[in-house]
Amino acid sequence: QMRSTRKVSVWPVGLVGGRRYERPLVENGKVVSWYTGWRADRPFAVDMAGFAVSLQVILAHPKAVFKRRGSQPGMQESDFLKQITTVEELEPKANNCTKVLVWHTRTEKVNLANEPKYHVDTVNIEV
C-alpha cells in the first residue's frame, strides 16, 4: 500500500505507545484525529512506523529534516511532518486505518500500560 502514496500516507501500528495499536481516526476518507495512548494533542500523533512519504515530496522540501536532537520527546514525527504536509492532506491506508499491517516490535516484553480497560475505539481491530 505504501507504493500508492502520492504525498504522505498513514496507517495503524500495532504494539506501540503502551497499547495494542494506535491509529489515525478517519471520517469520509480524511484523517480527523488520533486513537493513541500518549499525547493525542500532537499535530501528527503517529509512530514513525505509521507513515510513508513519497520521494517527490522529499525532493520538493529539501530543507525538511527528521531531527535526532532538538525535538521534544515523541515529537520527532510531528516536527518532520509539519514541514512537508498537513493533517488534511494525509492519505489513509489499510482500509481507512482499520487494519494493522505494521507492528512496532522489540526484543522485550510488550508494554500495554496505556491500553484502556474497556475497548473505546469505534472499530474492532485484530492485532
Side-chain angles (χ1 to χ4, degrees):
Q1 294 193 18
M2 286 184 216
R3 289 182 188 173
S4 65
T5 298
R6 292 182 308 277
K7 189 170 182 180
V8 179
S9 59
V10 292
W11 51 79
V13 177
L15 306 176
V16 66
R19 289 194 167 189
R20 291 184 314 125
Y21 63 88
E22 293 186 333
R23 73 183 188 98
L25 298 175
V26 178
E27 292 179 6
N28 300 316
K30 297 288 184 183
V31 174
V32 295
S33 187
W34 311 95
Y35 180 78
T36 181
W38 188 76
R39 290 206 53 188
D41 63 324
R42 292 174 284 161
F44 296 87
V46 61
D47 182 78
M48 65 181 68
F51 68 92
V53 180
S54 75
L55 179 59
Q56 290 78 18
V57 170
I58 297 295
L59 294 174
H61 297 87
K63 295 186 183 202
V65 294
F66 196 95
K67 301 175 188 174
R68 286 188 63 208
R69 293 190 177 99
S71 289
Q72 293 178 14
M75 292 295 289
Q76 288 177 314
E77 297 88 347
S78 287
D79 288 347
F80 174 68
L81 291 170
K82 284 190 306 188
Q83 298 172 71
I84 61 173
T85 193
T86 65
V87 172
E88 295 77 25
E89 294 176 314
L90 294 175
E91 305 161 37
K93 300 292 185 188
N95 197 29
N96 272 327
C97 297
T98 61
K99 294 190 181 293
V100 172
L101 304 176
V102 176
W103 288 262
H104 191 265
T105 59
R106 296 181 177 174
T107 55
E108 61 187 40
K109 186 177 179 181
V110 173
N111 172 9
L112 297 178
N114 292 329
E115 184 68 17
K117 292 188 189 306
Y118 304 100
H119 190 72
V120 294
D121 196 359
T122 57
V123 298
N124 187 18
I125 295 182
E126 182 180 347
V127 180

